Amino acid sequence: MLAVHFDEPGGPENLYLKEVAKPSPVEGEVLLKVAASALNRADLLQRQGRYAPPPGASSILGLEASGHIAELGPACQGHWKIGDPAMVLLPGGGQAQYVTVPEELLMPIPAGLTLSQAAAIPEAWLTAFQLLHLLGNVQAGDSVLIHAGASGVGTAAIQLARMAGAIPLVTAGSQHKLQMAEKLGAAAGFNYKEEDFSEATLKFTKGAGVNLILDCIGGSYWEKNVNCLALDGRWILYGLMGGTDISGPLFSKLLFKRGSLITTLLRSRDKKYKQTLVEAFTEHILPHFSTESPQRLLPVLDRVYPVTAIQEAHAYMESNQNVGKIVLQLPR
């Protein structure tokens, strides 16, 4: 099969398509013929040599995919049949023509969605669902500050926060991104390049601050985050795009707010955790993607590339221009 490959860590120019062995499903796994896979920041970091796949995971890039079931491994217990369309969360391996998946991590594709749209759901939407519900315990009426509000996770979190009755606020780096976030349901958006998002958040919340912060930036935002966190607020750190180091009295400021700092990664979680997450998401959220749902959720796609343009897709993501997801289509 063809798979995205790089021989040495480095820039997008190191990526190419390579013929590799097709995987075979072991007990409890299915083989998915991949139609589409979406890019994630983790793919860029792995290509740069800064984020190794978890032990036992495929070294091929790709944390999510959509396609059709091509083969059932031994002892599969579920209702899945050969030819069924499905989408899946992966620890790696999605940017190839085939990938093996534990059957418990498969999700049906909602009515009315294309395979490219479906490929944009698993990683971003399961992350946003995990941040808001499993970790953030979001409640109706809560204010939620979502950094990188126009990213895949950001565009998902805005919609899920609205559905939970919360008030989503976002940060982003351009007017175009803020307008898109507001179309999706953000109550307000702050351009971090032009204003202090912390002061703007406090102004919007009439001095109270936000109950929940979803933070993929890290180091460079710590002081502004803790400044605009409400008393007893929850600050969830799930990425470090703004650096790893801090300098200053974080603990005293956080303690003064009685704030909780929660950190999380999804890729390295074990199968049981991911299975529980997938089951909860499939039951409570997935039905809202279908065309019949009154509160319809929509994956936001920025660009769709053929996988042959993998270098261009990575370069585009690195330029930080995308609003929503960048999807790769695999050859049939």
Side-chain angles (χ1 to χ4, degrees):
M1 67 170 185
L2 289 173
V4 171
H5 189 79
F6 58 95
D7 295 315
E8 297 285 333
E13 66 281 358
N14 288 14
L15 295 164
Y16 66 100
L17 289 184
K18 182 180 182 180
E19 198 160 292
V20 299
K22 183 167 91 172
S24 292
V26 297
E27 195 165 306
E29 288 186 337
V30 306
L31 183 70
L32 188 75
K33 182 169 178 19
V34 177
S37 177
L39 269 192
N40 288 281
R41 291 274 163 191
D43 298 318
L44 274 57
L45 292 171
Q46 186 175 329
R47 186 204 76 223
Q48 292 160 2
R50 294 166 56 201
Y51 191 7
S58 168
S59 62
I60 296 168
L61 301 178
L63 303 186
E64 56 196 335
S66 66
H68 295 90
I69 292 168
E71 192 183 325
L72 300 173
C76 279
Q77 305 289 320
H79 61 277
W80 296 97
K81 302 187 299 295
I82 289 174
D84 282 350
M87 57 186 184
V88 66
L89 176 73
L90 299 162
Q95 289 165 28
Q97 286 179 297
Y98 292 90
V99 67
T100 53
V101 187
E103 63 170 341
E104 301 90 348
L105 301 187
L106 292 167
M107 293 177 282
I109 294 177
L113 290 191
T114 65
L115 287 165
S116 290
Q117 286 175 309
I121 291 174
E123 177 70 20
W125 285 80
L126 284 166
T127 296
F129 178 69
Q130 177 208 26
L131 298 175
L132 286 165
H133 290 280
L134 275 68
L135 300 167
N137 190 28
V138 69
Q139 302 295 313
D142 278 354
S143 49
V144 183
L145 179 60
I146 302 162
H147 291 312
S151 65
V153 174
T155 55
I158 291 166
Q159 296 176 70
L160 290 176
R162 272 282 176 216
M163 183 175 271
I167 301 152
L169 313 175
V170 302
T171 64
S174 75
Q175 204 50 40
H176 170 58
K177 289 181 176 183
L178 293 175
Q179 283 167 349
M180 187 64 192
E182 287 175 12
K183 266 189 201 161
L184 291 170
F190 314 120
N191 187 334
Y192 65 84
K193 294 177 180 174
E194 293 176 359
E195 63 181 323
D196 182 334
F197 72 78
S198 184
E199 292 304 321
T201 298
L202 286 169
K203 189 175 175 187
F204 183 90
T205 57
K206 299 184 170 53
V210 287
N211 306 105
L212 189 56
I213 298 174
L214 307 187
D215 179 19
C216 55
I217 306 298
S220 61
Y221 275 13
W222 81 263
E223 200 157 14
K224 289 177 179 175
N225 279 335
V226 79
N227 185 49
C228 67
L229 191 66
L231 283 174
D232 302 308
R234 289 93 66 205
W235 167 13
I236 304 181
L237 179 69
Y238 70 100
L240 295 167
M241 287 167 59
T244 57
D245 296 341
I246 63 160
S247 173
L250 168 60
F251 287 146
S252 63
K253 285 175 178 279
L254 195 58
L255 186 63
F256 181 72
K257 294 280 182 89
R258 302 192 301 265
S260 302
L261 175 57
I262 301 159
T263 70
T264 185
L265 293 169
L266 183 52
R267 186 182 192 183
S268 54
R269 299 273 189 177
D270 64 22
K271 189 178 111 178
K272 186 153 181 26
Y273 181 95
K274 289 178 181 175
Q275 183 181 341
T276 304
L277 182 65
V278 164
E279 285 171 358
F281 182 83
T282 301
E283 181 183 348
H284 299 294
I285 306 299
L286 212 51
H288 296 285
F289 284 97
S290 75
T291 37
E292 292 80 50
S293 172
Q295 266 190 308
R296 193 179 182 199
L297 300 172
L298 268 178
V300 178
L301 270 63
D302 184 294
R303 288 190 184 179
V304 180
Y305 289 94
V307 74
T308 48
I310 185 68
Q311 294 183 2
E312 191 184 333
H314 271 239
Y316 180 59
M317 182 173 250
E318 282 187 341
S319 75
N320 289 324
Q321 293 176 65
N322 58 297
V323 174
K325 298 286 285 188
I326 298 164
V327 172
L328 302 165
Q329 286 184 331
L330 277 293
R332 290 182 185 279

